[in-house]
Amino acid sequence: MVDRTSGVPAFRQVAADLRDKISAGAYPPGARLPSERDLVDTYGVSRPTIRQAVDALRVEGIVITEHGRGVFVKPTPSIRRLSRHRLSKEARARNQGAFLADAEAHGFKPSSTVKVRFESADDRAAGYLAVEQGEELTVRDRVMRADGAVVQLAVSRLPRRFTTGSAIEQVDTGPGGTYARLEEAGHVLGSYAEHVGARMPTPDEASALQLGQGVPVVTVTRVAYREDGVPLEMNDMVLSADRYELSYEWAAD
Amino acid sequence: MVDRTSGVPAFRQVAADLRDKISAGAYPPGARLPSERDLVDTYGVSRPTIRQAVDALRVEGIVITEHGRGVFVKPTPSIRRLSRHRLSKEARARNQGAFLADAEAHGFKPSSTVKVRFESADDRAAGYLAVEQGEELTVRDRVMRADGAVVQLAVSRLPRRFTTGSAIEQVDTGPGGTYARLEEAGHVLGSYAEHVGARMPTPDEASALQLGQGVPVVTVTRVAYREDGVPLEMNDMVLSADRYELSYEWAAD
DNA sequence: CAGTGGTCTAGACCACACC
DNA sequence: GTGTGGTCTAGACCACTGG
C-alpha cells in the first residue's frame, strides 16, 4: 500500500517498491511480475498509476513488457567486448576489415548490407576530415549483422579525391576493405582516434538494432589519419549499449 | 489531427509529428512547445494522450519539461572531451591526479569529496584485479565537481596489500594522487585498459549527477597494471553522457 | 492571479498470448 | 475463453511559474 501523506507521488512509491524487490532478488532476472491488475489491488491505486510506475522501470531498463504475456525482469545480456586491436594490419591482411575480424574472433556468422552514395561535407564532417564545407565526400552506409541480427550501424565518409577510381566507391571493397584500398593508393595509415559517447536511440535506430526498452546506444566516431596526419576517413558507428563494451589499452607514458 | 484509421496509436502520431517539426526547425533548441492543453485542441485527442506523446519525446532526450513553465526543446549541451593523455606521468607530476589535470586543461574549478572504506572483493572486482574472491580491498569513493556541479562519480578499488601504510588509505593521497603513491611503493605503472559502456542511470545517479531527462550515463572501468602485468587498481567511473565524450588515439599497427 | 505541467481516478475497448 | 498489456477518454485537483 502507498502512503498518501508522504508527499511522494504514488507511482514513484510503487516503482521504488518494485525496484527494491527486484534488486533484493524477490523477482529474479526473467521472472514475471504480478499483473498490472493484481498490482492495483496490492497497492490500492488505479491502473494508470500502476502503468506509470511500470513505465518508469521500463525506461530505466530494469523490466521489459510483453503484450499479452506480462512484465518481466530484464535478463542481463552477455556483453561483447570490442578491442582496439580489431584494426591491426594483421587482421586486415586476413579478411575484409574490422567487423569481419571481430566476427572471426567471436565465432558468429557476419553479414552486412552496404550502400554507397556521395554527398557534400557538412559542418561536422568538414571538421573531422579537415576539408572545406561542401567538398564532395564518398559515403558508405553499412548495416552489419551477426547471425542475422543487426548489431551495428556504420556510416563511413571519405573525401572523394582519395577514393576516385578505387573499389571504395564500389559496394564490395575487396579483401582488406577500405583501409587496404587506401594503402594501395599510397595513403599509408598512421594513426586512429575514436571519440566515444552515448545517447538514447532515435526510433529508427531502436527498430533497426532491435533495441530493448530503455537501452541507450553507444556512438563511436573513428577517424583514420595518414602518416603525415591528414585525415582519410571518419566512421560513425552506432552500437546497442547492452550488447557491447569497448576496450582500449595503452602503455603508461 | 490524428488519423484514427491508420492503426498507428494516436500518441505515436502526435510524437512523430512533434519530432518532425522539431528536427525541421519549427521549434528550435530552447523553444517552448505549445501547452499540453493547446495540443489537445490541435490534435483532437485527450490530455493523457498528449502527455503520453510528450513523455515519449522526453525519454528520447529531445525535450525537457519544466513544471509550471512548459515543454522545451532540449538545447544541445557543450561536450567536454576526455583524452587518454589525462593519465600521463607528466600530468601526475604537476598535480593531484587525472581529474585535476583535466580541470586545469579546461579551466574550471574542481573539487571533490572522498570517502575511504574497506571491503572484500566480489566476483567482478576479483576478476579485474586478479585476486581471490573475498580478498580485502581498499575502496575510494569519489564525487567530483566542476565549478560546484557534480560531473563524475568514481569508485576506485585496490588490493589492500598494495596500500597498507600509504596515503592511499587516507582521504588526501597527496601530490600526484594514488598512482604517484603506488610508484613510490615500488609498483611502477606499465599500462592501462579502459572498458567503456553505457546504460540508463539509477535514480541515485540521476539526482547526484543532475542528469537531464532521457540522458544515459557512460560507464568507464579503468584498470591500471604494473610493468609486470599485475593489476594494481580498478576504477569505476560514471559520467553524464550529454556532457562527456571520451577520446582515444593510437598509432596504426 | 492565470497558465503551466504533475498526478490521479474509474472506467472502456482493443490486440496479443496461451490454454 | 481468459488473462495479459496497450491505448484512450473526460474529467479532477495539486504544485509550480510568472506577471
Side-chain angles (χ1 to χ4, degrees):
Chain A
M1 283 290 179
V2 303
D3 174 6
R4 324 299 303 224
T5 67
S6 69
V8 179
F11 83 93
R12 288 197 190 283
Q13 294 184 46
V14 173
D17 190 61
L18 290 172
R19 196 186 296 111
D20 289 348
K21 282 181 172 150
I22 289 167
S23 64
Y27 303 114
R32 216 200 80 190
L33 265 52
S35 79
E36 295 179 349
R37 288 162 180 84
D38 284 350
L39 294 173
V40 165
D41 297 338
T42 303
Y43 292 103
V45 296
S46 71
R47 186 162 165 234
T49 302
I50 291 294
R51 282 187 61 78
Q52 208 176 349
V54 171
D55 271 359
L57 300 179
R58 209 158 53 91
V59 304
E60 285 173 43
I62 295 175
V63 303
I64 56 174
T65 56
E66 294 187 30
H67 195 169
R69 303 222 314 127
V71 180
F72 299 86
V73 179
K74 195 193 272 188
T76 44
S78 68
I79 298 270
R80 187 182 305 284
R81 188 170 285 182
L82 295 183
S83 155
R84 73 176 179 88
H85 296 314
R86 67 191 180 280
L87 293 177
S88 73
K89 185 177 283 184
E90 187 199 350
R92 281 209 304 286
R94 284 202 313 274
N95 53 53
Q96 299 186 59
F99 177 63
L100 298 189
D102 181 55
E104 183 175 311
H106 289 92
F108 58 85
K109 187 167 170 298
S111 61
S112 74
T113 313
V114 180
K115 281 183 205 149
V116 180
R117 61 175 206 272
F118 305 98
E119 68 178 27
S120 58
D122 62 9
D123 193 21
R124 183 169 166 277
Y128 276 117
L129 291 173
V131 300
E132 297 295 316
Q133 267 190 51
E135 174 161 340
E136 191 170 23
L137 304 179
T138 303
V139 184
R140 298 178 54 83
D141 247 307
R142 289 214 292 166
V143 178
M144 281 163 268
R145 296 181 186 77
D147 295 332
V150 174
V151 295
Q152 187 180 141
L153 307 173
V155 181
S156 170
R157 291 182 171 85
L158 308 89
R160 190 163 184 189
R161 56 192 154 87
F162 295 150
T163 68
T164 43
S166 94
I168 296 172
E169 299 191 0
Q170 308 302 317
V171 165
D172 182 359
T173 53
T178 298
Y179 293 162
R181 295 295 84 69
L182 283 170
E183 298 217 316
E184 285 169 7
H187 302 295
V188 179
L189 291 164
S191 63
Y192 302 97
E194 288 193 351
H195 308 287
V196 184
R199 57 174 170 75
M200 292 311 284
T202 66
D204 283 353
E205 289 168 341
S207 69
L209 292 170
Q210 299 168 68
L211 290 177
Q213 303 151 346
V215 178
V217 291
V218 174
T219 61
V220 182
T221 302
R222 180 171 61 230
V223 184
Y225 297 90
R226 203 163 61 187
E227 282 182 311
D228 62 359
V230 171
L232 294 174
E233 183 226 19
M234 64 181 286
N235 194 342
D236 285 300
M237 292 166 274
V238 178
L239 303 146
S240 167
D242 73 350
R243 292 196 285 265
Y244 282 95
E245 178 178 273
L246 300 162
S247 294
Y248 300 91
E249 313 99 41
W250 67 94
D253 286 331
Chain B
M1 281 290 179
V2 303
D3 174 6
R4 324 299 303 224
T5 68
S6 69
V8 178
F11 83 93
R12 287 194 190 284
Q13 294 183 46
V14 173
D17 190 61
L18 290 172
R19 196 186 296 113
D20 290 347
K21 282 181 172 149
I22 289 168
S23 65
Y27 303 114
R32 215 201 82 188
L33 265 53
S35 79
E36 295 179 349
R37 287 161 182 86
D38 285 350
L39 294 173
V40 165
D41 297 337
T42 305
Y43 292 102
V45 296
S46 69
R47 185 162 167 236
T49 302
I50 292 293
R51 282 188 61 77
Q52 208 176 348
V54 172
D55 270 359
L57 300 179
R58 212 159 50 92
V59 305
E60 285 173 42
I62 294 173
V63 303
I64 56 174
T65 56
E66 294 187 30
H67 194 169
R69 302 220 316 127
V71 180
F72 299 86
V73 179
K74 194 193 274 188
T76 44
S78 69
I79 297 269
R80 188 183 303 283
R81 189 170 285 180
L82 295 183
S83 155
R84 72 176 178 88
H85 295 311
R86 66 189 181 282
L87 293 176
S88 74
K89 184 177 285 184
E90 188 200 349
R92 280 209 305 285
R94 281 202 313 276
N95 52 52
Q96 298 186 61
F99 177 63
L100 297 190
D102 182 55
E104 183 175 315
H106 289 89
F108 58 85
K109 188 167 170 299
S111 59
S112 74
T113 312
V114 181
K115 283 183 204 149
V116 180
R117 60 175 207 272
F118 304 99
E119 68 178 27
S120 58
D122 62 10
D123 193 21
R124 182 170 167 275
Y128 277 116
L129 292 173
V131 300
E132 297 295 317
Q133 268 192 50
E135 175 161 341
E136 191 170 23
L137 305 179
T138 303
V139 184
R140 299 177 54 83
D141 247 306
R142 288 215 291 169
V143 178
M144 281 164 267
R145 296 183 186 77
D147 295 333
V150 175
V151 295
Q152 188 181 142
L153 308 173
V155 181
S156 171
R157 292 182 171 84
L158 306 90
R160 190 162 184 189
R161 55 191 155 88
F162 294 149
T163 68
T164 44
S166 96
I168 297 172
E169 300 191 0
Q170 308 304 316
V171 165
D172 182 359
T173 53
T178 299
Y179 293 164
R181 295 295 84 70
L182 283 170
E183 297 215 318
E184 284 171 7
H187 303 296
V188 179
L189 290 164
S191 63
Y192 303 98
E194 289 193 351
H195 309 289
V196 184
R199 57 173 169 75
M200 294 310 285
T202 65
D204 283 353
E205 289 168 341
S207 70
L209 292 170
Q210 299 167 68
L211 289 176
Q213 303 152 345
V215 177
V217 291
V218 173
T219 59
V220 182
T221 301
R222 179 171 61 232
V223 185
Y225 297 90
R226 204 164 60 187
E227 282 183 312
D228 61 0
V230 172
L232 294 174
E233 184 228 17
M234 64 180 287
N235 193 343
D236 286 300
M237 293 165 274
V238 178
L239 303 144
S240 167
D242 72 352
R243 291 196 285 264
Y244 282 96
E245 180 179 270
L246 300 163
S247 295
Y248 300 92
E249 314 96 40
W250 66 96
D253 285 332

